Amino acid sequence: GEIFATLKVLIIGESGVGKSSILLRYTDDDFDHDQNLTIGVDFKTKVVDIDDGKVKLAIWDTAGQERFRTLTPSFYRDAQGAILVYDTSNKNTLVKLESWLNELEIYNTKPNMVKMVVGNKIDKPEREVSRDDGIRFARKHRTLFLETSAKTSEGVKQAFEELVRKIIET
Ligand code: GTP
Ligand code: MG
């Protein structure tokens, strides 16, 4: 079928929250217990069926570790969507999303970029962030919200599809 649009989506958040794992689950339906940390920027594409059409997603995955971060204005430029990931077993990773949201404000040139806060690793029994806390954070920052597990794949496909739908209707 015909591809109607290419959308640029960023995945950001602290190191170890599972950004690359979410991407691997989504594009390859795979999971790696020993997923390497990302150096610089990684990039994958996926064609998504939405309603009667197809959309090509260009997904940019970034290093959470400051010393491996090579984020330039061109990384943020023209991104229509951003997935901001925290780890539901680590409260501090949610707190840190505040500064990632600020980065988006500073660099992103699109005023109506669609943002989604994602709480990942819900398969882990130890919880530091309740679902309600996540929802509250997302509401405060006017973003979409979902919980995921890259390990079990729960919520991963939904996250990208919800984001794409919202971008299309924005
Ligand atoms: P940086 O590249 O350093 O920014 O980290 P990242 O956010 O890309 O995290 P990454 O995907 O490398 O995952 C870090 C670790 O968490 C790896 O050992 C993964 O296997 C593990 N992990 C990722 N997602 C999940 C999940 O949903 N559940 C569990 N239990 N572990 C996960
Ligand atoms: Mg990574």
Side-chain angles (χ1 to χ4, degrees), residues 4-23:
F4 293 114
T6 299
L7 302 178
K8 179 177 175 180
V9 171
L10 317 175
I11 307 185
I12 57 184
E14 290 303 292
S15 181
V17 296
K19 298 180 297 296
S20 302
S21 300
I22 289 171
L23 186 54

Side-chain angles (χ1 to χ4, degrees), residues 112-114 165-170:
N112 53 1
M113 176 198 236
V114 177
R165 276 180 197 284
K166 188 78 181 181
I167 291 170
I168 288 171
E169 69 191 36
T170 296

Side-chain angles (χ1 to χ4, degrees), residues 15-16 18-21 32-33 35 37-38 64 120-121 123 150:
S15 181
K19 298 180 297 296
S20 302
S21 300
D32 184 353
H33 285 272
Q35 178 69 43
L37 59 80
T38 305
N120 186 46
K121 304 200 188 183
D123 60 278

